[in-house]
Amino acid sequence: MNKVITDGIVLMPPGFADGLDVWSSEDGTPGSDTYAGAGGGAFVPADQDFAGCLEFVKTTSTAKVRYMGETTILPGCYLRVTARVKCLSGALTDVRIAGFPVKAGGAPRGGVTTVGPSVSIDGYGQVVEVSAIIGTGLRNGVDITWADASYGHIGLDFTGANGAVVRMDDLVIEDISSVFIRDMMGLVDVRDYRAVGDGVTDDSAAFNAADNDANGRCLRSPMQ
């Protein structure tokens, strides 16, 4: 399953080269400051590591970069968000994927995790990649769970001391739901536990192991 292919949903935000007026220095909601205005950002067309990037100075305890477009969140759809960043000077900072979830109708979806794991930038000019998985279900590997959210404003947080001059490459958002398909089916296949099903081999150990791992899911035994 890939909603970009099957449903034509657009997940990838525009590149910074297309303009900074859709990149918010706040939560990304309509009317928030953008990096084309009060956010104080600049587009750098040429960089030795990035084809084009956003540059700004970190002046708040949590400096935000949020795409103001509405990234669709669907049940059973899991998105991997990735960005590459670096510090040029000033206090070194930490970075994490973050977002602002919104319910149908436009109300904020409160009470959920909005940030992924934090990564430290340890040196000047060092390119650091940060990523997180956003989805509606609490599954292994999912960093940010947004049940009942209709869409989100997704981007990055830069945390720590102020003064860093930061550059950020274009944000990448991909549908990786196929990784979770077997879990979403709610099935555990006994063949994954070495069941043979030839009518001769004792498969009881395989069935027991699958049952122990099922955690409420149904066992699938396609062998007849």
Side-chain angles (χ1 to χ4, degrees), residues 23-82:
W23 292 95
S24 170
S25 58
E26 300 178 1
D27 286 327
T29 51
S32 60
D33 287 338
T34 73
Y35 281 96
F43 173 67
V44 178
D47 177 278
Q48 65 180 3
D49 298 304
F50 310 139
C53 58
L54 168 66
E55 179 181 300
F56 66 94
V57 178
K58 184 180 181 298
T59 59
T60 58
S61 59
T62 300
K64 299 179 180 180
V65 179
R66 297 286 190 278
Y67 175 45
M68 297 178 72
E70 299 177 357
T71 301
T72 302
I73 305 296
L74 296 172
C77 188
Y78 293 82
L79 309 179
R80 179 171 58 202
V81 185
T82 307

